[in-house]
């Protein structure tokens, strides 16, 4: 499953190794690009930043304003189930690379028209 602006590469999945409850892979976000707004359905998502300067954009549940997380390489990010978000890479030259683990055997990606439509 793909979102505009991102490339996801599966490593561990139901299709690749027969995993029943886990998906794991790598995602690349090219310089000066961002993903579509999306969520991952029932899946919990854990993200480990390998390289680059990714940003993760969510809506604050209280104010409905956009909130940005700016993790650095070596940091982790948790995305709860059904949480609309967007990944961005505002660096003009360097791709952002992250490793992702999800609590479902396949990569669920539900693209949305906006963060508010989740």
């Amino acid at each position: 499953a793909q979102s505009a602006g991102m490339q996801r590469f599966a490593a561990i999945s139901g299709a690749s190794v027969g995993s029943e409850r886990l998906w794991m892979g790598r995602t690349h976000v090219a310089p000066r690009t961002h993903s579509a707004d999306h969520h991952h359905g029932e899946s919990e998502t854990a993200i480990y930043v390998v390289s680059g300067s990714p940003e993760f954009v969510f809506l604050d549940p209280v104010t409905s304003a956009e909130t940005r997380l700016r993790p650095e390489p070596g940091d982790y990010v948790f995305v709860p189930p059904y949480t609309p978000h967007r990944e961005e890479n505002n660096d003009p030259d360097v791709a952002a690379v992250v490793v992702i683990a999800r609590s479902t055997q396949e990569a669920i990606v539900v693209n949305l028209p906006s963060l508010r439509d989740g």
Side-chain angles (χ1 to χ4, degrees):
Q2 301 293 341
S3 296
M6 302 178 69
Q7 289 184 295
R8 293 183 179 93
F9 303 94
I12 305 294
S13 70
S16 69
V17 299
S19 172
E20 294 182 11
R21 294 185 301 260
L22 179 69
W23 183 95
M24 191 170 189
R26 187 178 73 241
T27 301
H28 293 215
V29 182
R32 294 186 192 185
T33 193
H34 60 82
S35 72
D37 295 338
H38 63 281
H39 68 73
H40 301 291
E42 66 189 71
S43 184
E44 292 183 319
T45 301
I47 300 165
Y48 175 77
V49 179
V50 175
S51 62
S53 302
E55 295 184 24
F56 298 88
V57 184
F58 302 88
L59 282 184
D60 183 295
V62 175
T63 66
S64 293
E66 286 189 359
T67 299
R68 291 179 175 270
L69 298 179
R70 293 180 176 96
E72 298 180 2
D75 288 345
Y76 293 86
V77 175
F78 176 69
V79 182
Y82 299 101
T83 301
H85 63 285
R86 174 177 67 246
E87 288 113 63
E88 296 183 357
N89 180 8
N90 296 309
D91 189 295
D93 302 309
V94 179
V97 178
V98 300
V99 170
I100 297 175
R102 294 207 182 103
S103 62
T104 54
Q105 69 178 9
E106 296 303 330
I108 300 169
V109 178
V110 179
N111 290 310
L112 304 167
S114 78
L115 292 177
R116 289 173 173 69
D117 292 324

